[in-house]
Amino acid sequence: MSCDVQKLREDFPLLRQTMRGKPLVYLDSAATSQKPRAVLDTLHTYYERWNANVHRGIYEISDLATQHYEAARAAVARFIHAAEPAEVIFTRNATEAINLVARAWGDANVKAGDVILLTEMEHHSNLVPWQLLAQRTGARLEFIPLDGQGRLDLAAAEKFFNDRLRLVAVTQMSNVLGTINPVAAIIRHAHAVGAVVLVDGAQGCAHIASDAQKMDCDFLAFSGHKMCGPTGIGVLYGRKRLLEAMPPFLGGGEMISVVDWREFTWNHTPWKFEAGTPAIAQAIGLGAAVEYLEKVGLDAIHAHEDTLVRYAWEKLHELPGFRPYGPPPDERGGLVAFTLDDLHAHDIAQFLDQQGVAIRAGHHCAMPLHKKLGVAATARASFYLYNTTAEVDALVAALRKALTFFGIETKTTVNV
Ligand code: 7TS
């Protein structure tokens, strides 16, 4: 299947709604995506027909719940080309997946004087867990700097690739700049000095075909809700050898093999990392989401978003005072963060809300990056498989109205 966007939109009931009496133009999929009927139906079916706890019942519906839960794990493993389903751990979201690695792998493997290498474009979720690990261990945080166009300046980070480097944690795609990073090259370089690499796939995996084995990452973290799945479910992919050597993250039911008063033995990977009753319905819903995305095709989705972002780039540049952040469309995914003259990003977003256009404004959980960019906040339009060029036109028309409303229509275009 390819991206027949008009047909595809029929799969997403929420998109039929109006907002403020106007047709809803949803341009905030980088925050969370909308859900197709196939996912909503799966959640419904789960609760109506299979709802029981997993891995413990001896009766039929518990068996069904377990089978569907584990089938979802297998579907996710296939989606990211993991070597086997045991390398897929269900978490709450990408944030929890990253924290799991920082705690379970980090505490056991990182010591004072080691270097943890991040980038200047990381979301707080791929920054704060490493700050906490550095505080616990005495490790040092270093950052791959950005060049003037919001790309990673790998030459400037060359000095960090030595035997002190223990971990590189890098985003596959920036949620602000849109930059798609050369993660495979970074991984090769890090492995050459014996470092482990975590890829934050929260933005990437939803939009770009991601092959964990080809990428050769050690860990890959992502969130179900950004890829047509339910909230409350995320994934940590881990190389099996590393997962097996790691202690558990949380303790409780499910993650044990045998428990005595003063000690316990661990269950096998992945259940070792899934303490307590997991998000069963949500995991099964995520399984339906990845099957839906596979049917449309990640390459078709990426090509569609590429068309949208190129179109948006051209049209937005016609607005006086439009200033985008990050590289040109060739090197970015389907989002554009920008400022418009000296309008505050929140004023822009609030005005657009009145026009039925939903975008995000703020620091997008990347405060240090915004500091580096020299702006307190940006407005961000982000696209997914269900967006259209007509919606880009609606965005541009609404921004034009905002310029008129705030009395800024005559200034010249600023191209950056
Ligand atoms: N990493 C990146 C690159 C992200 O964009 C986000 C969420 C996360 C991690 C965390 O994902 P979570 O599901 O665990 O919260 N980014 C955004 C955003 O850009 N707007 O809202 C959430």
Side-chain angles (χ1 to χ4, degrees):
M1 213 205 286
S2 67
C3 255
D4 177 351
V5 66
Q6 287 309 337
K7 191 159 183 312
L8 220 145
R9 285 177 69 83
E10 291 168 17
D11 296 338
F12 292 83
L14 187 139
L15 297 178
R16 279 179 227 138
Q17 283 188 51
T18 53
M19 190 164 85
R20 312 271 178 210
K22 306 230 165 60
L24 169 65
V25 175
Y26 185 75
L27 300 178
D28 197 21
S29 293
T32 199
S33 69
Q34 297 306 339
K35 322 301 174 197
R37 175 72 69 199
V39 170
L40 303 176
D41 286 350
T42 299
L43 290 172
H44 202 77
T45 305
Y46 169 76
Y47 283 117
E48 274 197 354
R49 297 186 25 216
W50 313 323
N51 179 47
N53 215 325
V54 290
H55 300 140
R56 55 199 85 191
I58 308 171
Y59 50 91
E60 193 178 337
I61 53 168
S62 173
D63 212 30
L64 272 175
T66 305
Q67 280 175 33
H68 285 286
Y69 181 72
E70 292 303 330
R73 192 190 309 280
V76 171
R78 190 184 60 230
F79 184 72
I80 54 161
H81 295 244
E84 52 179 302
E87 294 182 324
V88 169
I89 296 157
F90 285 126
T91 61
R92 270 192 310 137
N93 45 37
T95 302
E96 187 177 271
I98 296 168
N99 277 275
L100 193 165
V101 176
R103 278 279 176 186
W105 181 86
D107 285 355
N109 290 283
V110 174
K111 56 185 187 317
D114 285 349
V115 169
I116 299 168
L117 184 60
L118 311 173
T119 83
E120 288 183 338
M121 64 170 78
E122 297 311 315
H123 185 280
H124 297 164
S125 292
N126 198 30
L127 173 58
V128 178
W130 307 118
Q131 292 177 349
L132 290 166
L133 176 63
Q135 284 165 14
R136 289 197 299 277
T137 59
R140 205 171 77 236
L141 296 182
E142 297 290 356
F143 296 87
I144 303 177
L146 302 182
D147 69 11
Q149 287 221 292
R151 306 182 196 97
L152 295 180
D153 184 349
L154 293 175
E158 189 54 44
K159 58 179 185 271
F160 301 123
F161 287 82
N162 56 44
D163 60 5
R164 308 229 81 166
L165 186 62
R166 292 298 290 142
L167 175 90
V168 181
V170 55
T171 189
Q172 195 178 4
M173 173 179 150
S174 164
N175 67 322
V176 176
L177 304 166
T179 320
I180 296 175
N181 288 321
V183 284
I186 295 169
I187 291 165
R188 271 197 305 279
H189 209 43
H191 284 173
V193 294
V196 160
V197 182
L198 176 139
V199 175
D200 174 357
Q203 295 296 337
C205 290
H207 303 272
I208 312 164
S210 303
D211 184 324
Q213 291 185 77
K214 223 188 249 168
M215 222 191 284
D216 204 24
C217 57
D218 300 293
F219 298 106
L220 176 64
F222 52 101
S223 285
H225 70 93
K226 290 190 202 286
M227 49 197 286
C228 295
T231 51
I233 189 76
V235 171
L236 173 67
Y237 157 85
R239 199 186 286 283
K240 195 164 177 202
R241 175 175 52 79
L242 293 175
L243 293 178
E244 281 181 339
M246 280 156 60
F249 171 47
L250 300 172
E254 194 82 354
M255 49 72 71
I256 51 83
S257 178
V258 178
V259 181
D260 209 334
W261 289 118
R262 298 188 194 282
E263 57 196 14
F264 72 97
T265 53
W266 309 336
N267 199 344
H268 295 290
T269 301
W271 306 288
K272 175 170 80 176
F273 298 105
E274 294 179 3
T277 299
I280 306 166
Q282 292 85 341
I284 295 171
L286 176 58
V290 300
E291 277 166 16
Y292 180 84
L293 292 175
E294 280 173 341
K295 249 193 241 157
V296 180
L298 264 288
D299 289 339
I301 293 170
H302 187 52
H304 176 66
E305 290 172 7
D306 190 53
T307 305
L308 290 175
V309 84
R310 281 172 199 280
Y311 184 72
W313 193 259
E314 193 187 311
K315 294 285 167 192
L316 288 166
H317 271 95
E318 290 168 8
L319 297 171
F322 171 72
R323 181 180 176 180
Y325 294 85
D330 281 352
E331 297 163 74
R332 69 163 62 224
L335 65 85
V336 185
F338 59 92
T339 49
L340 195 57
D341 203 275
D342 58 0
L343 293 184
H344 195 287
H346 283 104
D347 290 339
I348 297 174
Q350 221 158 30
F351 186 88
L352 262 56
D353 170 47
Q354 301 299 320
Q355 309 299 314
V357 180
I359 63 163
R360 192 177 165 190
H363 52 63
H364 315 294
C365 299
M367 286 172 86
L369 170 60
H370 277 75
K371 201 160 151 193
K372 165 107 187 173
L373 297 173
V375 279
T378 52
R380 182 188 68 188
S382 55
F383 311 120
Y384 208 7
L385 69 170
Y386 37 68
N387 291 120
T388 65
T389 49
E391 289 182 310
V392 174
D393 290 336
L395 165 72
V396 176
L399 288 171
R400 248 185 227 293
K401 273 195 190 167
L403 286 168
T404 308
F405 180 81
F406 291 107
I408 314 172
E409 63 250 82
T410 51
K411 297 196 182 161
T412 48
T413 307
V414 180
N415 286 323
V416 178

